[in-house]
Amino acid sequence: MNEDRTGPALHGWLIIDKPVGPGSTDIVSAVKRALRAGGYAKVKVGHGGTLDPLASGVLPVALGEATKLAGRMLDSDKAYAFTVAFGAETDTLDLEGAVIATSEGRPTRAALEAVLPRFTGPIEQVPPAYSALKVDGRRAYDLARAGEEVVLASRSVTIHALSVIPTEVGTHGHDAAARDVPPSMGSGFRRDDETVDFANQATALHDATLLATVSKGTYIRSLARDLAAACGTVGHVTMLRRTKAGPFTLAPAISLDSLAERAKARTLEQALLPLAAGLDDIPALSVTPDQAGALRQGRPVIGIAATPGPYLATDMSVPVALVESDGTGLKVVRGFNL
């Protein structure tokens, strides 16, 4: 392993296409190892939103000064593709758990699509017992694994969009809406190993793959459970793939193999997105070198007329600080050492 750490310090975002298996902290450790192997200068590394081991897809990993923005990712909207298998519910609401309920009921495509409006917009949702939420100071999943009864209160979340992935009649192909979902991760509607005639509204579905764009705090496993219940049956998630987290999509994502290869070749910079990529919803505001110096010291700057609200203060396109304007001046919210 290369112990030469004379390489550049990287500040920005690596978007990892997390595979099924490792957890989010495992990916952070893999990035740290890659930086070390490539001889890059040591920097802080953190992730911008947990993905369970059985989930795959977009995992933003913040490097250096970008770690100061990782918390914003927790509040951002997310988009997922997920497959619901009908007829069995597990205690974890995914493939990892034990079956706790079964049903002979299978919805038709028409029945499934008919209930989607009930789960679009602001809804109340009960999180899974196997979740990281705390109950009396203990993680819910620890209580559940210990055999204790877990009662979680419902929470308000928002489902911005919810749809069934169309599948071409007689094929396992995907249309453009499902392009980011690998064929091995679910092909829409199937019955055992057969392709279901999607045009037949009366065909009973063994499973279905859907796309959802959701607010923070939304549990896709709970959504799958509730969709199945609304269709008069039970169900659990068999595939979960995050296709978007905040502004980040799968387009710039790299695999763990690519991460290691790029690090050894010292070309990780080519996959690195700038720090400002995590602030696509915040306008940039150019400041002078003197104003930038004051902001870097955490001092407010007066005499800058700007519409009240948040801005990314920049000096010659270099991020200086995340600031808040009151209309006449700027106050530092988060400074960057770049």
Side-chain angles (χ1 to χ4, degrees):
M1 181 175 289
N2 187 355
E3 292 299 332
D4 174 18
R5 304 300 294 269
T6 60
L10 302 185
H11 301 280
W13 300 89
L14 285 175
I15 311 305
I16 304 298
D17 186 350
K18 189 190 91 64
V20 172
S24 299
T25 55
D26 296 324
I27 302 301
V28 169
S29 297
V31 171
K32 289 180 178 179
R33 288 195 301 272
L35 293 174
R36 188 164 57 249
Y40 290 93
K42 185 176 182 180
V43 294
K44 290 183 178 180
V45 181
H47 65 76
T50 299
L51 270 181
D52 293 336
L54 290 182
S56 68
V58 174
L59 182 65
V61 177
L63 306 184
E65 289 298 286
T67 57
K68 295 178 179 179
L69 301 175
R72 297 186 79 251
M73 290 298 107
L74 302 178
D75 294 331
S76 64
D77 291 341
K78 312 290 193 305
Y80 297 90
F82 64 101
T83 298
V84 186
F86 299 110
E89 181 176 322
T90 66
D91 53 6
T92 60
L93 301 181
D94 59 21
L95 282 172
E96 192 175 36
V99 174
I100 57 173
T102 60
S103 171
E104 294 297 321
R106 301 289 187 276
T108 62
R109 171 197 169 196
L112 176 60
E113 292 189 332
V115 304
L116 297 186
R118 293 163 51 183
F119 296 92
T120 305
I123 65 170
E124 291 294 314
Q125 183 184 80
V126 177
Y130 283 80
S131 65
L133 298 177
K134 289 189 175 181
V135 179
D136 296 329
R138 296 177 62 188
R139 298 289 185 186
Y141 55 67
D142 287 333
L143 295 172
R145 288 168 183 161
E148 298 184 34
E149 183 180 4
V150 178
V151 179
L152 296 173
S154 65
R155 54 168 55 187
S156 298
V157 298
T158 300
I159 311 299
H160 300 293
L162 182 62
S163 62
V164 178
I165 292 183
T167 302
E168 295 179 10
V169 176
T171 75
H172 286 288
H174 297 283
D175 69 357
R179 193 169 294 147
D180 287 334
V181 184
S184 62
M185 302 300 286
S187 59
F189 297 116
R190 298 182 306 282
R191 181 173 54 212
D192 298 325
D193 295 327
E194 300 176 1
T195 299
V196 170
D197 183 351
F198 190 80
N200 186 349
Q201 295 279 346
T203 299
L205 306 176
H206 174 73
D207 59 21
T209 300
L210 300 94
L211 298 176
T213 302
V214 303
S215 69
K216 69 173 183 177
T218 302
Y219 283 90
I220 298 298
R221 287 176 291 152
S222 292
L223 179 60
R225 172 199 64 202
D226 297 343
L227 282 170
C231 291
T233 184
V234 293
H236 65 283
V237 170
T238 58
M239 182 279 290
L240 178 60
R241 182 161 174 76
R242 188 157 68 192
T243 58
K244 188 176 183 182
F248 302 120
T249 67
L250 283 165
I254 61 174
S255 67
L256 290 181
D257 287 342
S258 177
L259 168 71
E261 293 168 1
R262 289 170 182 266
K264 290 178 181 178
R266 283 200 175 183
T267 60
L268 266 180
E269 297 91 331
Q270 297 175 8
L272 189 72
L273 300 182
L275 177 149
L279 297 170
D280 73 329
D281 58 331
I282 295 180
L285 181 65
S286 181
V287 297
T288 68
D290 287 344
Q291 292 168 336
L295 292 173
R296 287 192 175 99
Q297 294 174 10
R299 294 187 284 120
V301 173
I302 59 174
I304 296 181
T307 303
Y311 291 89
L312 174 62
T314 62
D315 178 12
M316 299 295 289
S317 77
V318 176
V320 173
L322 187 61
V323 299
E324 186 77 24
S325 169
D326 63 3
T328 61
L330 306 177
K331 180 180 179 180
V332 176
V333 175
R334 179 74 72 176
F336 305 116
N337 298 315
L338 298 172

